[in-house]
Amino acid sequence: MVDNAKSSLRNIRCGVPQGSILGPLLFLIYVNDMWRAVPNSAIKLFADDTNMFLSGENLKSLYESTNKELEKLAKWVFTNKLSINYEKTCYTIFKPGGKGASNDANDMTIKIRGIVISGVHTCKYLGMVLDDQLLWKLHIDHVYKKIIKFTCLFYKLREIVPAGILRKIYFALVYPHINYGIELYANTHPTYLDHLIKLNNKILRIVQRRKMDTAVSLLYKSFNLMQIPQLFKFNVSVLVYKVLNYSEALPSVYKNYFVANSTIHEHNTRHSAALHKKTVNTSYGFRTVREHGTRIWNDIPAEIQNIPSLSSFKRMLKKHYINSI
């Protein structure tokens, strides 16, 4: 209804009108029980993007179980009058030790209703570029390419736009790309991050109209900003804080994700408030958020760890990391 004019009514037998307000909500409700079709898989839904995660002792059994699960999923999709975009459907193998997919998978195929699904070494998942070795180098390159185009823009804008507006534009166009998923992609070899760090330094010099020999610490402190390594530690620390203090508000996967030494033993030692370090035997394990989070948290001063308010914790922790630049 617009003013006093009313549209006519029509019955919808299947689907929803394209672009309707209720469309996304109704679609999510419609596919919300998809996981029941594949109870042996960890299925993740985000809008119309569906991902299945399966594991196995060897590639042969993994391929067999995957094909069986996909056949079940295909039946659910057909029964519910939906369709799969086969051109956008692919799979990636993550192997222990970070070695990626090997040649022993060449004679195996994954199919959905007889259609062969392509295997890839990289794929995009919720805005993150995943590689089969979880090195994050390709995602870092992806972020680099996204923000490098703003260098010319800032060169031109700084001649006509006030400094305060330039700062806002930086935090609107550049910072979100760097901050998104940093808990994962910055959890890699420092050499892979080097060119992204240097590019961010360059953009800050342009925005602040600084000379090339300006100290890096001044660039970041002027914007009350953390460098990428400190920003990584900050975001991981916030996750640890939430797990320790607000676990009921987080997904169930984070229950007991981090464990304090005081829950392991009752001895009143100087490390009783620190997080318990678990034994790690692989390079994958050493680079997980759980492993990094434990080591990062244990390096935070106790007076910051024990702050009762999340907002105060963030403020004091940010100050702590900026002062460490």
Side-chain angles (χ1 to χ4, degrees), residues 90-142:
C90 60
Y91 71 91
T92 302
I93 301 174
F94 301 95
K95 296 187 66 176
K99 297 178 181 179
S102 60
N103 295 328
D104 54 358
N106 290 341
D107 58 342
M108 304 178 192
T109 57
I110 288 179
K111 299 179 180 180
I112 304 179
R113 289 294 169 97
I115 299 176
V116 177
I117 304 303
S118 59
V120 297
H121 293 287
T122 63
C123 62
K124 200 169 184 180
Y125 180 55
L126 300 182
M128 303 290 291
V129 181
L130 277 70
D131 62 275
D132 57 5
Q133 298 184 56
L134 295 180
L135 294 176
W136 302 106
K137 188 176 185 297
L138 294 175
H139 179 77
I140 294 169
D141 293 341
H142 173 70

Side-chain angles (χ1 to χ4, degrees), residues 207-277:
V207 172
Q208 297 179 26
R209 301 182 178 91
R210 301 281 189 179
K211 295 180 179 181
M212 289 297 294
D213 58 351
T214 302
V216 171
S217 59
L218 183 60
L219 297 175
Y220 286 87
K221 289 180 180 179
S222 297
F223 272 17
N224 193 31
L225 189 65
M226 291 172 282
Q227 285 183 293
I228 290 177
Q230 281 80 27
L231 187 60
F232 163 68
K233 292 181 179 180
F234 174 84
N235 283 11
V236 172
S237 299
V238 170
L239 173 62
V240 176
Y241 184 91
K242 290 179 178 179
V243 171
L244 297 178
N245 298 278
Y246 304 99
S247 59
E248 68 283 353
L250 297 176
S252 58
V253 68
Y254 290 112
K255 186 178 181 180
N256 299 324
Y257 200 71
F258 300 103
V259 180
N261 282 334
S262 57
T263 63
I264 304 298
H265 59 77
E266 298 180 354
H267 306 297
N268 187 19
T269 65
R270 60 179 179 176
H271 299 296
S272 59
L275 294 182
H276 177 67
K277 291 183 179 181

Side-chain angles (χ1 to χ4, degrees), residues 27-47 49-54 68-77 80 82:
F27 178 81
L28 291 176
I29 295 173
Y30 192 70
V31 301
N32 196 46
D33 66 333
M34 185 187 295
W35 64 272
R36 297 182 185 273
V38 283
N40 297 323
S41 307
I43 191 166
K44 305 296 180 183
L45 302 173
F46 185 84
D49 189 11
T50 302
N51 292 266
M52 290 173 58
F53 295 88
L54 298 99
K68 290 178 181 178
E69 292 296 291
L70 286 175
E71 183 61 29
K72 296 176 185 177
L73 184 63
K75 289 180 179 179
W76 184 94
V77 170
N80 287 274
L82 296 173

Side-chain angles (χ1 to χ4, degrees), residues 298-325:
N298 290 345
D299 288 337
I300 297 175
E303 59 269 22
I304 298 179
Q305 292 178 350
N306 297 324
I307 293 176
S309 165
L310 177 60
S311 58
S312 298
F313 172 80
K314 287 182 177 179
R315 184 175 64 254
M316 295 304 297
L317 184 63
K318 183 177 181 179
K319 182 179 179 181
H320 168 72
Y321 280 132
I322 290 178
N323 289 337
S324 70
I325 297 177

